[in-house]
Amino acid sequence: NAGVMQNPRHLVRRRGQEARLRCSPMKGHSHVYWYRQLPEEGLKFMVYLQKENIIDESGMPKERFSAEFPKEGPSILRIQQVVRGDSAAYFCASSPTGQAGDTQYFGPGTRLTVL
Amino acid sequence: DAKTTQPPSMDCAEGRAANLPCNHSTISGNEYVYWYRQIHSQGPQYIIHGLKNNETNEMASLIITEDRKSSTLILPHATLRDTAVYYCIVRDRISYYMDTGRRALTFGSGTRLQVQP
């Protein structure tokens, strides 16, 4: 049973470019969560999505960041016009349902470096 | 979700049991205690969770005090590969109607466990 998959594992962008991070949840999971970990800091929640719906985006920066989870295909975290401060590890987690006590399982992360 | 307090760092000798404490004095009756760990820069790894009874799985044991205000994660025979940051997180287990948010995990600073050879 494959775990949560993320790609690319490493992504380098220049300031002003766009970054697209992909997350494929575990088989049978329809709920996806994105977290960001800045260098030397803890993980911070960004957004929670169900298929075709954004459920909670309270942790997303108001500008340049967007997320989607289409009916088919992986969840995408999109960062437009990246800046150096966006350099971080971005982790995706999935759970089978949206129940509050559901265990979230994490992927290996995408490490974004903005030059 | 209730706040947790963990020591910033601990050492353990290889082959010995590692006992990682966590205080969650404001925990409510509806909240689980979850433990995750993050090895170096990898994705957080789920370890175990419990409500009020002690729990054990192939990775660890979780001991929750009777008043539920603190818990201890036990790695029975620590190895070098158990060196990681361990996070104790409390989470609401109730799904409130119309309250589809607040599913996020809130990670604190955790305990950095260093297993010594």
Side-chain angles (χ1 to χ4, degrees):
Chain A
N1 185 17
V4 178
M5 301 180 69
Q6 291 188 248
N7 66 80
R9 296 291 304 275
H10 299 274
L11 182 62
V12 179
R13 285 287 178 266
R14 296 190 180 279
R15 281 180 295 170
Q17 291 184 319
E18 178 180 286
R20 281 184 180 241
L21 289 63
R22 287 178 290 278
C23 169
S24 296
M26 285 179 71
K27 186 176 181 180
H29 288 193
S30 58
H31 296 257
V32 164
Y33 313 78
W34 285 93
Y35 293 80
R36 177 167 68 172
Q37 187 171 31
L38 294 169
E40 305 302 322
E41 294 188 16
L43 285 90
K44 295 285 192 286
F45 167 75
M46 299 180 75
V47 62
Y48 159 41
L49 309 101
Q50 193 183 355
K51 285 281 188 181
E52 300 185 276
N53 287 304
I54 295 175
I55 307 299
D56 180 358
E57 54 182 347
S58 58
M60 284 276 270
K62 293 290 184 284
E63 297 177 348
R64 302 186 297 107
F65 285 72
S66 63
E68 63 177 11
F69 190 14
K71 187 176 181 181
E72 301 291 337
S75 175
I76 307 284
L77 179 68
R78 182 183 178 205
I79 311 172
Q80 295 177 289
Q81 299 176 324
V82 296
V83 300
R84 290 223 173 102
D86 297 332
S87 294
Y90 292 82
F91 295 100
C92 163
S94 73
S95 66
T97 76
Q99 295 300 311
D102 244 6
T103 297
Q104 295 179 22
Y105 296 92
F106 284 79
T110 293
R111 273 143 196 87
L112 173 65
T113 301
V114 179
L115 301 177
Chain B
D1 295 335
K3 185 176 173 59
T4 62
T5 303
Q6 299 177 252
S9 64
M10 292 182 64
D11 287 343
C12 177
E14 190 177 17
R16 304 296 294 269
N19 299 292
L20 293 92
C22 179
N23 286 322
H24 30 79
S25 58
T26 60
I27 194 170
S28 75
N30 296 323
E31 289 178 314
Y32 284 113
V33 180
Y34 272 78
W35 283 83
Y36 283 80
R37 72 181 182 184
Q38 188 173 26
I39 297 173
H40 192 45
S41 299
Q42 298 177 22
Q45 179 186 23
Y46 165 75
I47 301 173
I48 199 168
H49 74 281
L51 186 63
K52 49 185 172 182
N53 296 322
N54 297 337
E55 302 288 344
T56 296
N57 62 21
E58 65 279 2
M59 288 183 68
S61 294
L62 174 60
I63 308 298
I64 302 174
T65 58
E66 194 169 338
D67 63 7
R68 302 188 68 243
K69 293 185 177 182
S70 65
S71 60
T72 300
L73 178 74
I74 301 172
L75 308 178
H77 305 286
T79 71
L80 297 178
R81 288 179 293 182
D82 292 321
T83 292
V85 179
Y86 287 76
Y87 298 99
C88 168
I89 301 169
V90 294
R91 295 189 65 208
D92 203 328
R93 70 182 183 100
I94 300 294
S95 295
Y96 297 103
Y97 180 66
M98 295 298 288
D99 179 17
T100 52
R102 300 193 301 114
R103 296 294 181 264
L105 293 173
T106 300
F107 288 84
S109 302
T111 295
R112 187 172 297 275
L113 176 69
Q114 181 69 50
V115 180
Q116 306 284 359

